[in-house]
Amino acid sequence: RVNVYLHRDRAVIGLDLSGESLHRRGYREAGGRAPLKENLAAAILRRAGWPKIYAAGGACVDPLCGSGTLVIEAGMLAAELAPGLHRGYWGFTGWRGHEVESWQRVRTEAEERCREKAVRPIRVYGYDADKNMIKIAIENARLAGLADRIQFTACLLHKLRRPPEAAGLVVANPPYGERLGDTRVLHHLYNQLGAKLLEEFTGWQAAVLTGSGELGKALGLRAHKVATV
């Protein structure tokens, strides 16, 4: 597909390489009111060191998982499930210069890496207070091919308990008031999240995505690294 963007007397012509946007993995048929893009979730997990933590035997926990994007992306990284592996169409397959054999070789290598990891436990857990969101997350995990390998549980934040693994990563994308909720109300949520990290996850790593510096301070924890995305 050829895209042409017109603005006043200027035209920008682009050739569509992918078809649908690359950040869409194809597993998320439903999401919350402000779902996190899949590629951003994967970037957060990599920045937080999840692949290294998993390789060392650690677990990943999202205490506010919503529709499960961070949890599923963590599972995909652990399982070496290549993004788009189950995708049925790519824009470049319609090119005259498309090398079918080369593309099939790349896909086969990705499938083999995934099969090699299929017997290893993933140790990824998602929790949310909303039972309906947990149902959506479970369905999204099924579509991603991870239904039996990651766990979702309906659980209030103050009742959350650490899984059996001794170490790992807590990652969360709590609402921050710009699109969801009210900042004054959310202040308590961040307080509660910070307290839960201290209470249950001492010795673990934690990564929290927020669009509000003030709410970030409400965690009551000092960040050893701050990244802007």
Side-chain angles (χ1 to χ4, degrees):
R1 185 175 63 187
V2 177
N3 296 321
V4 181
Y5 298 93
L6 297 173
H7 180 66
R8 296 178 180 172
D9 60 347
R10 184 179 178 86
V12 177
I13 300 175
L15 188 61
D16 186 355
L17 288 166
S18 62
E20 194 174 18
S21 297
L22 286 174
H23 78 269
R24 295 176 180 171
R25 314 293 205 211
Y27 63 76
R28 195 167 68 186
E29 290 195 350
R33 287 178 291 167
L36 188 65
K37 284 186 176 181
E38 296 94 314
N39 59 336
L40 177 55
I44 291 168
L45 288 159
R46 286 189 177 277
R47 187 65 180 264
W50 165 236
K52 185 176 180 180
I53 291 170
Y54 169 71
C60 183
V61 170
D62 184 350
L64 305 165
C65 71
S67 59
T69 305
L70 279 165
V71 179
I72 294 170
E73 290 295 323
M76 290 177 65
L77 284 168
E80 292 198 24
L81 179 58
L85 186 60
H86 303 309
R87 186 168 173 167
Y89 173 77
W90 301 85
F92 57 75
T93 58
W95 287 24
R96 287 187 177 181
H98 173 54
E99 298 180 5
V100 178
E101 292 182 1
S102 297
W103 173 240
Q104 188 55 51
R105 184 167 59 250
V106 170
R107 283 187 58 91
T108 300
E109 290 174 358
E111 290 166 354
E112 288 175 353
R113 287 200 306 272
C114 187
R115 279 195 295 270
E116 289 171 358
K117 296 287 185 178
V119 296
R120 186 176 178 183
I122 290 181
R123 301 182 297 274
V124 178
Y125 309 89
Y127 303 90
D128 201 275
D130 189 335
K131 293 181 179 179
N132 289 326
M133 292 308 300
I134 289 296
K135 290 179 181 178
I136 291 172
I138 290 172
E139 175 61 13
N140 288 341
R142 185 189 68 79
L143 293 171
L146 296 170
D148 299 326
R149 305 191 68 191
I150 55 181
Q151 299 180 32
F152 288 103
T153 305
C155 180
L156 296 172
L157 181 58
H158 74 275
K159 292 185 177 181
L160 179 63
R161 296 294 178 265
R162 188 178 73 186
E165 288 77 17
L169 170 70
V170 179
V171 61
N173 175 34
Y176 48 84
E178 198 167 297
R179 293 178 62 188
L180 297 174
D182 181 86
T183 302
R184 290 170 297 178
V185 176
L186 293 174
H187 194 277
H188 173 68
L189 174 66
Y190 280 74
N191 277 159
Q192 195 176 50
L193 177 59
K196 182 56 63 174
L197 290 173
L198 288 174
E199 176 188 338
E200 287 288 331
F201 296 95
T202 299
W204 285 46
Q205 296 293 318
V208 179
L209 177 65
T210 180
S212 168
E214 289 303 311
L215 285 173
K217 292 177 182 177
L219 288 168
L221 302 172
R222 185 185 296 275
H224 63 80
K225 185 183 294 183
V226 177
T228 302
V229 296

